[in-house]
Amino acid sequence: MGESQSMTCGPVVNPTGLPSWNNEYLAGSTIEVNSVVEDRPHDRSHAQRGSDSKNARMLWIDGVGGFLIVAGDEWLIGGPGAGSSVEINVQGDLSRRAAAVRRQGSDYVLQPLAPTRLQGEPLDRPTLLRTGDRFQLGSVVQFEFQKTHPLSSSARLNLVSRHRTQPRADGVILLADTCVIGPSQGAHIQCSHWTSDVILFVSGDDWRIRSEEPLVVDGTQIGQTAVLSPDCRIVGETLAMSMERL
């Protein structure tokens, strides 16, 4: 991949607005995280990649919107016709494989596979992404990269051009370890009307949820942590959302 780039960050001390139970759980998490991704050909099979794999879900949050959540450490972005060969399918003037976003530890690297611009400048090599960076694929499709939570390695992509993903989503969560959803500062999905955060994460083949407040999943009250079925309804005192397998 060429010479790697690195960022130096100071220690995070009491991030503003983050409930202490979240901090303790995220900081002390033993969730397994995939190792650093090296350069490799994009030749994985239909069953191993794409938004119809076991690693992808649509999350519909009442009063907020719909979000595509894709677990992994590498995400291909492509246009119409790419189908299940990419994780993020954009309905726009885009090649089938336009770019890849790869996670390396807690960092994210954008690798151009077709004409790409980062912050308005042509990009011809893998480059480290920073929060707030905008990149353009092809002539018109634009994304913004966000990595907002200080204790999570997951990130979010927002389409800032007038295009949409397939399935249509208000944002794409690149799920590295945890997805924080709720009212706290830095949550991957902001839900200002909720009273507390919930955390989604993948452990092995299971999608799990952790919450401080009591939740009911498919009509059954759960404890603090529970395994979620591929298609389920989750309800709390101030929250309601549905998860769908893709």
Side-chain angles (χ1 to χ4, degrees):
M1 184 183 290
E3 293 187 4
S4 61
Q5 302 183 54
S6 61
M7 293 186 294
T8 302
C9 300
V12 176
V13 180
N14 291 328
T16 310
L18 300 176
S20 60
W21 74 275
N22 275 358
N23 294 342
E24 293 167 2
Y25 176 70
L26 290 166
S29 173
T30 57
I31 301 169
E32 183 177 346
V33 178
N34 293 328
S35 60
V36 172
V37 182
E38 302 295 339
D39 282 329
R40 61 186 181 218
H42 306 291
D43 59 358
R44 282 179 279 172
S45 68
H46 173 94
Q48 289 177 300
R49 84 169 318 128
S51 60
D52 65 341
S53 74
K54 65 183 179 181
N55 293 328
R57 298 287 188 273
M58 272 299 298
L59 185 67
W60 302 99
I61 303 176
D62 292 16
V64 178
F67 300 86
L68 173 61
I69 304 178
V70 191
D73 53 22
E74 180 186 59
W75 301 265
L76 279 175
I77 305 172
S84 61
S85 66
V86 301
E87 283 74 25
I88 304 168
N89 194 313
V90 180
Q91 303 303 293
D93 185 13
L94 207 60
S95 63
R96 290 188 177 186
R97 294 188 176 189
V101 176
R102 295 179 176 182
R103 182 175 63 85
Q104 297 186 330
S106 61
D107 294 335
Y108 286 76
V109 172
L110 175 64
Q111 178 176 344
L113 303 175
T116 301
R117 288 179 173 270
L118 177 62
Q119 298 294 82
E121 298 297 327
L123 188 68
D124 61 2
R125 67 191 64 188
T127 301
L128 191 69
L129 286 169
R130 304 176 190 278
T131 294
D133 277 354
R134 290 192 176 193
F135 58 91
Q136 178 177 304
L137 306 179
S139 58
V140 289
V141 176
Q142 295 185 48
F143 281 94
E144 182 180 66
F145 174 81
Q146 293 286 340
K147 189 168 179 288
T148 58
H149 200 293
L151 299 178
S152 173
S153 294
S154 298
R156 174 170 167 165
L157 292 179
N158 296 316
L159 266 169
V160 294
S161 57
R162 305 185 80 174
H163 296 87
R164 64 183 183 182
T165 58
Q166 179 59 41
R168 187 168 186 169
D170 295 296
V172 180
I173 306 300
L174 309 180
L175 184 61
D177 45 20
T178 54
C179 176
V180 181
I181 309 168
S184 67
Q185 181 181 348
H188 300 103
I189 303 175
Q190 283 283 328
C191 302
S192 59
H193 62 288
W194 291 14
T195 56
S196 62
D197 289 345
V198 300
I199 298 172
L200 287 179
F201 61 97
V202 176
S203 179
D205 291 335
D206 294 330
W207 285 68
R208 295 175 177 264
I209 191 168
R210 181 180 175 89
S211 173
E212 184 179 28
E213 73 174 76
L215 295 179
V216 175
V217 178
D218 291 334
T220 302
Q221 187 156 341
I222 65 170
Q224 276 198 321
T225 305
V227 175
L228 298 175
S229 62
D231 301 278
C232 60
R233 179 70 173 168
I234 305 159
V235 179
E237 293 178 3
T238 59
L239 65 91
M241 56 186 175
S242 299
M243 179 176 286
E244 295 179 5
R245 170 176 40 193
L246 296 175

